[in-house]
């Protein structure tokens, strides 16, 4: 039995290959970072004092397309993230800065909480900006995204000494929304920041105030030429950076030190496990492990940036770029066991991605097979990330079985590409490949 536990210091077991084959014993360690002491944690002011002294500092940007910089003429330079990086370099020239782009368009906190270890903690950050507000739904609250947003923020605080800054981004329609009570996610994220003692960049709130005072030209922020009321143009991103700089960096409360009180919610994401399928000792017939696809329609969607391997089930083989030939093979079901309240799948979507039937504890999930061709690949071919939360209300104290059954159309070359099984629970999260 090969056990992967996201928060265990050591897991070991036995992998059985074949019915009567030899037994291979495998042990491996997973770093379990201890929660930094209060003395070790940093405020934004602490980071800036170190910058003035010329130290090495790392800033990580975790978020969606508004952090990455969709519609910016050069996302690395003229986005909100790029403009903020420029200000750090200009105002603190003695420091040795490292800026890490961990933003993916369309991604909310339900995927991000499983990315924290790989794309944030591993960078040893000093300052982390977190943007979930828009992609978690600005008019939502009290849902699974509330749990995962808190889980992601808390995990960064537990595993790093970084100052964490949630940023509340706008959409044009929410700037002119007459009922402020409708912006429930903003209210929720402000409360989350207050609960953990965090600085927050409330771009949405300040832009609403500017608009109400007649000091904001919405057509300069969101160009009508693009027909996109979600992503601004360069002047809009510059305004975002100006607001966050004033609210977070030069604000008197930047000396505020984060704390780790009891969770606000149910702590559904108290423990998380992202188990790569490549860890299975033996894959079912028709499944193979390879590298993520190396092309995407947008740089932030390039799966090779976010995933280290890909496990593929297919009824075809590649001939050339986006060209496949049928093999006539129907892959066997993939089975595993897990423990947790939430289970999700992470992988990539292709133009010829197929369907998969999902069963938990022997029962089909949903009304039929799940389409693994995510909506992002329609506009950003030939590939994009694919993430789906399958179930979120499981009993976290018992073991569950998960079965993935590929469902391909006869005569059509199709494939399913998965990187990992993602599991979360309040006290434990484990995945076991022992079928």
């Amino acid at each position: 039995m090969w056990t992967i536990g996201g928060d265990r210091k050591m897991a070991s077991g036995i992998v059985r290959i074949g019915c009567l084959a030899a037994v291979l014993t495998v042990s491996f360690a997973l770093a379990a970072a201890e929660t930094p002491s209060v003395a070790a944690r940093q405020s934004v002011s602490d980071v800036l004092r170190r910058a003035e002294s010329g130290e090495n500092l790392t800033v990580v940007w975790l978020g969606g397309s508004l952090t990455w910089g969709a519609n910016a003429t050069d996302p690395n330079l003229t986005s909100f993230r790029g403009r903020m990086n420029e200000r750090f370099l200009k105002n603190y020239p003695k420091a040795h800065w490292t800026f890490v782009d961990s933003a993916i368009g369309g991604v909310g906190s339900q995927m991000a909480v499983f990315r924290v270890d790989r794309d944030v903690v591993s960078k040893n950050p000093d300052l982390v900006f977190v943007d979930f507000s828009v992609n978690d739904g600005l008019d939502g609250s009290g849902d699974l995204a509330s749990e995962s947003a808190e889980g992601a923020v808390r995990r960064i605080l537990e595993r790093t000494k970084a100052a964490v800054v949630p940023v509340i981004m706008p959409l044009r329609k929410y700037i002119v929304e007459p009922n402020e009570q409708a912006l429930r996610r903003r209210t929720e994220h402000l409360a989350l920041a207050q609960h953990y003692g965090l600085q927050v960049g409330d771009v949405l709130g300040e832009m609403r105030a500017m608009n109400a005072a007649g000091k904001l030209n919405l057509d300069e922020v969101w160009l009508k030429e693009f027909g996109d009321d979600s992503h601004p143009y360069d002047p809009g991103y510059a305004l975002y950076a100006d607001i966050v700089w004033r609210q977070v960096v030069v604000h008197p409360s930047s000396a505020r030190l984060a704390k780790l009180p009891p969770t606000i919610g149910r702590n559904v994401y108290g423990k998380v496990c992202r188990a790569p399928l490549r860890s299975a000792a033996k894959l079912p017939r028709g499944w193979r492990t390879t590298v993520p696809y190396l092309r995407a329609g947008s740089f932030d969607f390039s799966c090779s940036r976010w995933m280290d391997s890909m496990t593929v089930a297919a009824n075809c083989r590649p001939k050339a770029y986006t060209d496949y030939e049928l093999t006539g093979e129907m892959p066997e079901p993939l089975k595993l066991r897990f423990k947790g309240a939430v289970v999700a799948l992470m992988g990539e979507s292709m133009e010829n991605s197929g369907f998969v039937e999902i069963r938990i504890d022997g029962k089909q999930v949903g009304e039929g097979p799940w389409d693994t061709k995510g909506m992002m690949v329609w506009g950003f071919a030939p590939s994009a990330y694919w993430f789906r939360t399958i179930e979120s209300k499981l009993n976290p104290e018992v073991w569950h079985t998960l079965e993935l059954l590929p469902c391909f159309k006869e005569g059509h070359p199709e494939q399913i590409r998965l990187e990992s099984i993602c599991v979360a629970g309040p006290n434990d999260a484990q995945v076991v490949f022992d079928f």
Side-chain angles (χ1 to χ4, degrees):
M1 182 175 72
W2 194 325
T3 303
I4 297 180
D7 293 307
R8 293 177 175 270
K9 291 185 178 179
M10 176 67 73
S12 62
I14 297 175
V15 179
R16 296 187 181 274
I17 304 176
C19 296
L20 298 174
V23 175
L24 172 65
T25 301
V26 181
S27 297
F28 62 97
L30 292 167
E34 297 180 357
T35 302
S37 67
V38 174
R41 289 206 193 100
Q42 301 179 97
S43 67
V44 174
S45 291
D46 292 332
V47 174
L48 299 180
R49 279 195 293 270
R50 293 179 58 203
E52 290 174 345
S53 299
E55 294 190 32
N56 298 321
L57 295 166
T58 297
V59 181
V60 174
W61 300 91
L62 179 68
S65 55
L66 292 174
T67 292
W68 179 69
N71 284 359
T73 53
D74 186 334
N76 283 331
L77 297 177
T78 62
S79 65
F80 154 66
R81 169 177 56 88
R83 294 301 188 190
M84 288 290 290
N85 292 345
E86 180 183 39
R87 288 182 179 229
F88 284 122
L89 290 167
K90 180 179 179 179
N91 288 276
Y92 301 94
K94 292 182 180 180
H96 300 275
W97 294 99
T98 297
F99 301 108
V100 179
D101 168 21
S102 289
I104 310 175
V107 168
S109 60
Q110 289 183 51
M111 180 176 173
V113 71
F114 294 106
R115 298 179 52 225
V116 164
D117 287 0
R118 181 187 184 277
D119 298 331
V120 179
V121 175
S122 68
K123 312 304 180 184
N124 193 26
D126 298 285
L127 181 60
V128 180
F129 289 87
V130 178
D131 153 33
F132 298 137
S133 49
V134 168
N135 289 340
D136 278 354
L138 275 167
D139 53 0
S141 68
D143 52 15
L144 189 62
S146 309
E147 302 283 355
S148 55
E150 180 175 16
V153 167
R154 190 177 183 93
R155 194 165 184 85
I156 297 170
L157 291 173
E158 287 177 340
R159 298 194 160 223
T160 76
K161 62 182 180 180
V164 179
V165 180
V167 180
I168 302 174
M169 294 292 201
L171 299 179
R172 179 170 177 150
K173 67 178 181 179
Y174 291 119
I175 299 296
V176 298
E177 169 60 53
N179 179 16
E180 187 166 326
Q181 300 303 315
L183 308 177
R184 297 186 296 164
R185 192 73 69 191
R186 171 177 175 259
T187 301
E188 188 175 85
H189 283 190
L190 288 173
L192 177 67
Q194 183 177 17
H195 184 73
Y196 286 93
L198 308 177
Q199 288 287 101
V200 60
D202 184 12
V203 179
L204 173 57
E206 183 155 335
M207 287 182 67
R208 282 175 57 83
M210 292 173 63
N211 188 60
K215 298 180 179 179
L216 182 64
N217 185 336
L218 297 179
D219 291 334
E220 289 183 356
V221 178
W222 290 277
L223 288 186
K224 292 183 178 180
E225 178 75 17
F226 299 147
D228 184 349
D229 288 345
S230 299
H231 307 101
Y233 186 51
D234 288 357
Y237 281 127
L239 176 59
Y240 290 9
D242 181 60
I243 291 172
V244 173
W245 189 265
R246 284 188 284 103
Q247 289 187 356
V248 174
V249 179
V250 299
H251 197 275
S253 64
S254 63
R256 182 186 301 169
L257 198 62
K259 53 189 176 180
L260 269 178
T263 59
I264 299 174
R266 298 171 299 157
N267 199 29
V268 173
Y269 292 86
K271 305 292 182 182
V272 300
C273 171
R274 175 175 168 182
L277 290 173
R278 70 169 186 267
S279 300
K282 184 179 181 181
L283 291 169
R285 179 180 56 79
W287 294 75
R288 62 185 176 87
T289 297
T290 182
V291 297
Y293 205 69
L294 300 177
R295 299 187 185 185
S298 180
F299 182 62
D300 57 323
F301 290 160
S302 297
C303 290
S304 56
R305 297 181 63 205
W306 314 116
M307 306 179 199
D308 300 316
S309 65
M310 202 62 57
T311 298
V312 182
N315 65 354
C316 57
R317 65 171 65 93
K319 288 176 58 181
Y321 176 60
T322 68
D323 187 18
Y324 299 85
E325 62 179 2
L326 285 164
T327 62
E329 182 177 31
M330 178 56 72
E332 294 178 343
L334 186 148
K335 303 178 183 180
L336 56 93
R337 293 189 299 136
F338 70 92
K339 198 174 186 180
V342 176
V343 60
L345 303 178
M346 186 184 298
E348 62 184 352
S349 178
M350 305 286 290
E351 292 177 291
N352 70 333
S353 288
F355 286 75
V356 60
E357 181 178 323
I358 302 173
R359 297 176 186 172
I360 295 179
D361 299 332
K363 297 180 180 179
Q364 178 178 288
V365 181
E367 298 181 357
W370 294 59
D371 188 357
T372 65
K373 182 184 286 187
M375 67 175 183
M376 291 301 181
V377 80
W378 291 105
F380 299 93
S383 73
Y385 68 88
W386 187 79
F387 178 85
R388 290 291 182 276
T389 298
I390 305 303
E391 284 285 3
S392 61
K393 297 180 179 180
L394 296 165
N395 183 346
E397 304 301 325
V398 302
W399 286 95
H400 301 279
T401 61
L402 176 67
E403 297 178 74
L404 305 178
L405 296 82
C407 302
F408 298 143
K409 295 178 183 178
E410 186 176 352
H412 292 261
E414 295 181 338
Q415 59 181 318
I416 296 165
R417 300 176 69 87
L418 298 177
E419 189 258 2
S420 58
I421 309 297
C422 300
V423 176
N427 300 308
D428 196 6
Q430 296 186 60
V431 172
V432 178
F433 300 105
D434 64 352
F435 280 90

